[in-house]
């Protein structure tokens, strides 16, 4: 997005203390011009002072070359310009030095002190020079002209570079502050993007877990009953043709119900028109993605609530298990009332998965299903007795080990309590309590 001064300097390094070659060339050009000026003025100063011309020229060249280090030592440059002011040389050095000093990061008291010293020096030199000029020329200008001209020229040589340097320094600091803020915002955006990616990955994992749980609950129970009925059909096909026909019809009904529930679930996964409208994260704002995701989640919840199972279908569920020969007792305590769709679905799935486990691990065992409607919660318990010695072992129902895990995840997600384990009598018990709110 942006680059700081350090990054820029690392990308395009200059010689010695310069950040860029362009700055080095500019300072060298200014130093050369200052050397020429101070050398010429040193030659004139040597003639007026009665010293060798070569000495004046060398003095002027050395003084003028100080402008080469204006970025590194601006105070030294200003002090040199003040020192050579009585020799009436170094005007370019004074102007550029004051500008560099004002644009630097030095304290304002130092800048003000050096600028005042330069102003006083220029004022004295200009006053003497103009007075000498008017005396030699024999001009009659009045007493006010010399101080007025000296003050005007001194201010004109000092104030403009000082004010321009202050402006440029303030603007430079503002730009650097903006760069730092932009870099900070970029880092924060990158951190937010990483966190958003982590949250998205977590959400995808949660969604995969939810889909796997739904698929398990939908398929495991129906297919388990189909396998049980198929085993019974195989056992009685020759002995009792009529019962075999009934079992075959039940297998067909179970298969159609399983396909119907699978189609409903796949329809939920394929729906979400808001998601399809988002083509890529780079082409839309983040807020639009969030709105689309929320719309898709709301649509998914709406479909789940309208098409999912409910407690009113519990007797039908138990009847399907009873049709396989399992003895199932259903006991309902309390007055039934309407619960939230997620609560009813969870209660239904807990009973469904518990019955499926009985078919898998204790075929033929007598099972007791208890449902209690309480003031602020709904409780359910599915307990089976030990299986008989002669059971439907030929059904060979596989177990993935995910049924109890899925039931616990459903109940805990609603703030409930889930407990499962073997009984003292050799059976197995599944209990769950879900808050009604």
């Amino acid at each position: 997005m942006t680059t700081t001064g350090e990054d820029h300097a690392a990308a395009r390094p200059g010689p010695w203390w310069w950040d860029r070659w362009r700055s080095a060339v500019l300072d060298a050009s200014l130093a050369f011009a200052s050397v020429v000026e101070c050398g010429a003025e040193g030659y004139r100063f040597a003639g007026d002072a009665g010293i060798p011309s070569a000495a004046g020229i060398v003095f002027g060249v050395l003084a003028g070359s100080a402008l080469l280090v204006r970025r590194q030592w601006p105070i030294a440059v200003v002090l040199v310009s003040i020192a050579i002011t009585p020799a009436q040389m170094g005007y370019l050095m004074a102007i550029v030095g004051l500008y560099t000093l004002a644009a630097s990061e030095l304290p304002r008291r130092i800048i003000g002190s050096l600028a005042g010293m330069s102003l006083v020096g220029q004022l004295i030199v200009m006053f003497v020079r103009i007075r000498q000029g008017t005396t030699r020329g024999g001009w009659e200008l009045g007493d006010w002209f010399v101080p007025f001209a000296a003050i005007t020229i001194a201010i004109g040589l000092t104030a403009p570079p000082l004010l321009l340097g202050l402006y440029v320094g303030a603007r430079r600091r503002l730009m650097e502050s903006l760069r730092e803020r932009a870099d900070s915002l970029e880092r924060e955006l990158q951190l937010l993007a990483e966190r958003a990616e982590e949250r998205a990955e977590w959400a995808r994992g949660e969604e995969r877990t939810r889909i796997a749980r739904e698929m398990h609950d939908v398929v495991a129970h129906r297919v388990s009953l189909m396998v049980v009925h198929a085993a019974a059909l195989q056992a009685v096909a020759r002995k009792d043709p009529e019962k075999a026909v009934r079992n075959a019809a039940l297998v067909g009904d179970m298969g159609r119900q399983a396909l119907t529930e699978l189609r409903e679930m796949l329809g939920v996964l394929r729906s979400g028109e808001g998601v399809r409208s988002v083509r890529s994260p780079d082409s839309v704002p983040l807020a639009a993605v969030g709105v689309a995701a929320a719309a898709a989640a709301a649509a998914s919840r709406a479909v789940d609530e309208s098409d999912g199972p409910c407690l009113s279908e519990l007797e039908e569920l138990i009847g399907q298990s009873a049709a396989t020969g399992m003895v199932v007792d259903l006991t309902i305590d309390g007055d039934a009332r309407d619960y939230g769709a997620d609560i009813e679905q969870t209660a239904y799935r807990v009973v469904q998965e518990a019955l499926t486990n009985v078919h898998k691990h204790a075929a033929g065992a007598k099972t007791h299903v208890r449902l209690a409607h309480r003031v602020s919660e709904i409780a359910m318990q599915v307990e089976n007795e030990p299986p008989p010695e002669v059971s439907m072992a030929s059904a060979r129902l596989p177990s993935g080990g995910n049924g109890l895990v899925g039931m616990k995840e459903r109940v805990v997600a609603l703030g409930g309590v889930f407990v499962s384990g073997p009984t003292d009598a050799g059976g197995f018990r599944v209990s769950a309590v879900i808050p009604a709110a």
Side-chain angles (χ1 to χ4, degrees):
M1 184 180 294
T2 59
T3 56
T4 60
E6 289 79 2
D7 297 335
H8 190 68
R12 300 178 58 186
W16 297 326
W17 55 82
W18 287 284
D19 294 337
R20 295 174 297 180
W21 279 97
R22 185 176 65 181
S23 301
V25 172
L26 176 61
D27 289 355
S29 301
L30 292 174
F32 178 76
S34 179
V35 165
V36 173
E37 177 200 358
C38 291
E41 293 174 346
Y43 176 79
R44 180 183 53 80
F45 173 73
D48 296 338
I51 60 177
S53 301
I57 295 175
V58 171
F59 175 74
V61 169
L62 292 177
S65 62
L67 201 57
L68 194 65
V69 296
R70 70 182 185 94
R71 297 179 188 268
Q72 190 73 3
W73 298 293
I75 296 178
V77 174
V78 175
L79 289 176
V80 170
S81 68
I82 294 174
I84 63 176
T85 298
Q88 299 182 5
M89 66 174 63
Y91 295 106
L92 177 62
M93 182 190 304
I95 294 173
V96 177
L98 284 175
Y99 165 79
T100 307
L101 180 69
S104 66
E105 301 292 336
L106 293 172
R108 290 290 183 264
R109 63 179 182 274
I110 297 178
I111 297 174
S113 300
L114 293 176
M117 293 171 59
S118 179
L119 176 63
V120 172
Q122 294 287 351
L123 180 61
I124 295 174
V125 170
M126 288 300 164
F127 182 85
V128 173
R129 188 172 182 179
I130 295 174
R131 188 175 186 85
Q132 290 176 353
T134 56
T135 302
R136 292 175 184 176
W139 299 341
E140 297 292 339
L141 299 176
D143 296 337
W144 60 270
F145 177 77
V146 175
F148 173 78
I151 293 173
T152 303
I153 295 176
I155 294 176
L157 292 175
T158 306
L162 182 66
L163 295 177
L164 181 61
L166 292 174
Y167 167 75
V168 172
R171 183 176 181 275
R172 185 181 301 161
R173 287 188 290 272
L174 176 61
M175 295 301 295
E176 187 64 25
S177 174
L178 293 177
R179 287 195 192 97
E180 292 178 357
R181 178 178 294 184
D183 291 340
S184 176
L185 290 176
E186 184 177 7
R187 288 191 294 268
E188 291 180 4
L189 288 176
Q190 184 177 1
L191 181 60
L192 289 176
E194 293 175 357
R195 291 181 178 176
E197 181 63 26
E198 293 176 359
R199 289 195 296 268
E201 184 63 29
W202 175 83
R204 286 192 291 268
E206 289 293 318
E207 188 64 15
R208 284 194 294 267
T209 302
R210 187 187 71 83
I211 293 173
R213 186 168 58 241
E214 291 290 339
M215 295 287 288
H216 177 274
D217 292 342
V218 169
V219 175
H221 182 74
R222 304 295 184 189
V223 174
S224 297
L225 293 180
M226 291 171 63
V227 174
V228 171
H229 282 295
L233 177 62
Q234 182 180 3
V236 302
R238 296 180 179 179
K239 299 179 182 181
D240 192 349
E242 294 182 359
K243 187 174 182 180
V245 171
R246 289 196 299 271
N247 286 340
L250 288 174
V251 170
D253 292 339
M254 294 295 176
R256 283 187 289 271
Q257 291 176 3
L259 287 175
T260 300
E261 294 188 8
L262 284 175
R263 288 194 187 98
E264 291 175 355
M265 183 176 298
L266 293 176
V268 173
L269 296 178
R270 291 180 180 275
S271 65
E273 299 177 357
V275 176
R276 288 198 297 269
S277 63
V278 180
R279 299 185 178 273
S280 72
D282 297 333
S283 61
V284 295
L286 185 60
V289 178
V291 171
S300 175
R301 289 194 298 269
V303 175
D304 288 343
E305 293 177 1
S306 60
D307 296 338
C310 57
L311 290 177
S312 61
E313 303 174 9
L314 198 58
E315 294 184 359
E316 180 183 355
L317 175 67
I318 294 177
Q320 293 173 354
S321 296
T324 64
M326 178 190 295
V327 179
V328 186
D329 292 337
L330 174 61
T331 303
I332 301 177
D333 297 331
D335 297 331
R337 61 182 186 273
D338 293 333
Y339 300 96
D342 51 352
I343 296 177
E344 295 205 7
Q345 291 178 22
T346 300
Y348 180 92
R349 294 300 187 191
V350 168
V351 176
Q352 182 187 55
E353 181 59 28
L355 293 177
T356 301
N357 288 340
V358 176
H359 285 294
K360 290 181 179 180
H361 307 292
K366 185 176 181 179
T367 306
H368 304 276
V369 179
R370 300 180 180 88
L371 183 67
H373 299 280
R374 300 172 183 170
V375 177
S376 59
E377 61 188 14
I378 177 173
M380 65 225 65
Q381 177 178 291
V382 179
E383 179 179 351
N384 63 275
E385 298 178 358
E389 296 180 359
V390 181
S391 62
M392 299 293 295
S394 58
R396 296 190 300 274
L397 290 170
S399 176
N402 296 319
L404 294 176
V405 176
M407 284 190 285
K408 184 175 181 179
E409 290 176 349
R410 285 179 176 274
V411 174
V412 172
L414 296 178
V417 179
F418 178 85
V419 179
S420 64
T423 61
D424 296 336
F428 198 85
R429 180 186 299 117
V430 173
S431 302
V433 179
I434 303 175

